[in-house]
């Protein structure tokens, strides 16, 4: 396996590079997916060549800091890692996102296409069933872009459409009422950042979470804007949202067109947009399916069961001819006499 060895000149330099109880080495190991072996006077890094090089750069920078009498913290090491991390392809061509101590990689072929679209396009649609990572991967990309200074703001948006319940029955003010609809976005953030970071970013308006109705009239520059549950946006709402795109902005729309909570006669804005914009250059459209589900194995079984039963229910709802009745015939010109 490829490896590189970094030599350290003194015990103090070891402490500066290793961190307290080898904390810095663990951060580097987890962030780049490499094996790190610390021995007296040296650090050996093993793994894939590109990842070894990124880890080496961080450890060498810590040596430079020590020689400049600069003391590093865990946060400093995270920033060093972030500065060298970006959505990229690994040696096998698989796209990955490095965020802090996490390396977010595609776990299915469909997710690989989705990550590539997030890397290559400024407007991305992702359609797929529950559990395929649509929201999580988009949020991971946005957080990584914010940390690296490529954007100034993340805007997370959701339509406030009820799935069998009504906002009016929930306690509290408007903010409390919309919180349940935004919870999946917050869950993705909490998996990537600690609570204090999220509160600080939200307090400084670096991360904004809002219902879709609040987007009207805005132009968002230097931002990643994610619309989750896009299937519950109407066609006019989707047009309004997509036209919020400003300079140096990226938009991601995710949703599951099999779970539309709009009134029966209302067309889903997500399905409509995918059809309208399919052939527009510069727009990435990814469709995920049941094989891309990465939650608990039971989730895929549940999705399979519900998708298999729907055609049977539709067939049962269709009228059947009475016993003894003539079978239906297709309409056509009258028979000649």
């Amino acid at each position: 396996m490829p490896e590189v060895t970094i030599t350290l000149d003194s015990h103090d330099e070891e402490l500066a590079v290793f961190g307290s109880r080898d904390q810095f080495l663990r951060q580097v190991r987890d962030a780049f997916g490499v094996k790190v072996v610390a021995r007296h006077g040296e650090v050996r890094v093993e793994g894939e060549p590109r990842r070894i090089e990124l880890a080496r750069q961080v450890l060498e920078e810590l040596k430079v800091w020590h020689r400049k009498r600069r003391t590093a913290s865990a946060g400093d090491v995270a920033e060093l890692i972030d500065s060298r991390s970006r959505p990229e392809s690994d040696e096998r061509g698989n796209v990955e996102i490095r965020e802090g101590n996490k390396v977010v990689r595609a776990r299915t072929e469909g997710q690989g296409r989705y990550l590539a679209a997030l890397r290559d396009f400024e407007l991305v649609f992702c359609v797929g069933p529950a559990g395929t990572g649509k929201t999580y991967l988009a949020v991971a990309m946005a957080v990584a872009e914010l940390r690296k200074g490529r954007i100034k703001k993340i805007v997370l948006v959701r339509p406030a459409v009820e799935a069998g319940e009504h906002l009016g029955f929930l306690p509290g003010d408007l903010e409390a009422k919309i919180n349940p609809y935004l919870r999946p976005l917050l869950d993705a953030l909490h998996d990537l950042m600690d609570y204090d970071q999220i509160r600080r970013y939200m307090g400084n308006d670096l991360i904004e979470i809002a219902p879709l109705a609040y987007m009207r009239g805005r132009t968002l520059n230097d931002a990643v804007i994610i619309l989750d549950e896009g299937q519950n946006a109407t066609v006019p709402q989707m047009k309004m949202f997509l036209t919020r795109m400003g300079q140096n902005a990226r938009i991601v729309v995710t949703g599951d067109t099999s779970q539309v909570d709009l009134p029966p006669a209302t067309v889903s804005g997500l399905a409509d947009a995918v059809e309208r914009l399919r052939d527009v250059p510069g727009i990435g459209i990814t469709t995920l399916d049941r094989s891309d589900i990465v939650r608990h194995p039971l989730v895929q079984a549940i999705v399979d069961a519900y998708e298999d039963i729907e055609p049977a229910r539709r067939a049962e709802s269709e009228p059947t001819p009475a016993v003894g009745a003539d079978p239906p015939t297709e309409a056509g010109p009258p028979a000649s006499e």
Side-chain angles (χ1 to χ4, degrees):
M1 179 178 291
E3 65 177 59
V4 66
T5 299
I6 299 166
T7 303
L8 305 172
D9 295 337
S10 66
H11 179 65
D12 288 342
E13 193 165 78
E14 286 182 29
L15 292 176
V17 173
F18 293 179
S20 175
R21 299 183 180 179
D22 296 343
Q23 180 181 7
F24 299 164
L25 298 184
R26 290 195 298 273
Q27 286 181 260
V28 171
R29 176 199 65 193
D30 295 342
F32 298 120
V34 294
K35 181 179 179 181
V36 179
V37 179
R39 294 182 177 175
H40 183 67
E42 67 179 26
V43 180
R44 189 172 74 249
V45 183
E46 301 176 2
E48 297 178 1
R50 173 61 179 165
R51 297 178 185 176
I52 288 176
E53 174 59 20
L54 294 171
R56 185 196 67 79
Q57 291 175 13
V58 172
L59 296 174
E60 290 286 359
E61 186 66 19
L62 289 174
K63 285 178 59 176
V64 172
W65 283 17
H66 171 68
R67 291 169 186 177
K68 292 181 177 180
R69 301 185 182 279
R70 176 176 175 180
T71 302
S73 66
D76 293 327
V77 175
E79 290 297 328
L80 284 175
I81 292 170
D82 289 344
S83 69
R84 287 158 177 78
S85 303
R86 66 183 186 276
E88 59 180 24
S89 298
D90 63 16
E91 296 298 315
R92 298 179 300 279
N94 298 321
V95 180
E96 58 187 26
I97 298 171
R98 298 191 182 100
E99 170 46 38
N101 294 336
K102 290 182 176 290
V103 180
V104 179
R105 301 186 183 92
R107 294 172 60 182
T108 69
E109 182 180 346
Q111 285 190 349
R113 295 195 306 272
Y114 182 30
L115 283 176
L118 291 174
R119 177 194 62 191
D120 297 337
F121 296 99
E122 294 180 334
L123 173 55
V124 175
F125 292 91
C126 183
V127 180
T132 50
K134 305 182 297 294
T135 302
Y136 183 85
L137 294 175
V139 172
M141 178 276 293
V143 171
E145 292 290 286
L146 181 64
R147 288 275 186 83
K148 291 191 285 286
R150 294 178 180 174
I151 58 168
K152 297 178 181 178
K153 187 182 183 71
I154 298 172
V155 184
L156 305 176
V157 185
R158 252 195 164 206
V161 175
E162 299 92 340
E165 299 180 47
H166 298 282
L167 281 170
F169 293 139
L170 297 173
D173 56 15
L174 178 61
E175 182 176 355
K177 288 176 184 290
I178 65 174
N179 186 66
Y181 297 95
L182 306 175
R183 192 72 245 174
L185 296 167
L186 288 170
D187 289 343
L189 279 176
H190 280 294
D191 195 58
L192 295 161
M193 307 167 65
D194 62 44
Y195 179 80
D196 290 338
Q197 284 180 316
I198 294 173
R199 298 304 300 176
R200 185 168 64 253
Y201 278 32
M202 292 179 71
N204 293 332
D205 203 32
L206 299 177
I207 296 177
E208 177 186 351
I209 305 179
L212 178 58
Y214 285 27
M215 293 297 102
R216 187 173 299 279
R218 302 180 63 181
T219 299
L220 296 166
N221 300 310
D222 302 306
V224 171
I225 312 108
I226 300 172
L227 174 59
D228 193 34
E229 299 289 349
Q231 79 277 3
N232 287 332
T234 64
V235 174
Q237 285 176 329
M238 183 63 71
K239 178 184 176 183
M240 177 273 292
F241 174 76
L242 295 177
T243 53
R244 301 308 94 200
M245 192 175 193
Q247 297 298 318
N248 189 37
R250 302 174 69 181
I251 286 180
V252 184
V253 182
T254 68
D256 179 0
T257 51
S258 71
Q259 296 188 27
V260 178
D261 298 314
L262 295 169
T266 304
V267 176
S268 167
L270 175 58
D272 177 80
V274 168
E275 185 63 29
R276 287 175 185 267
L277 303 176
R278 186 176 298 279
D279 298 323
V280 176
I283 296 178
I285 299 175
T286 303
T287 301
L288 304 179
D289 57 31
R290 288 177 285 182
S291 65
D292 297 303
I293 293 175
V294 293
R295 286 184 188 165
H296 192 285
L298 280 177
V299 174
Q300 184 162 354
I302 292 167
V303 171
D304 290 346
Y306 274 88
E307 289 195 358
D308 291 341
I309 204 170
E310 286 301 324
R313 283 184 175 172
R314 285 195 294 270
E316 290 174 1
S317 65
E318 293 176 357
T320 56
V323 176
D326 293 333
T329 58
E330 293 184 4
S336 58
E337 296 181 351

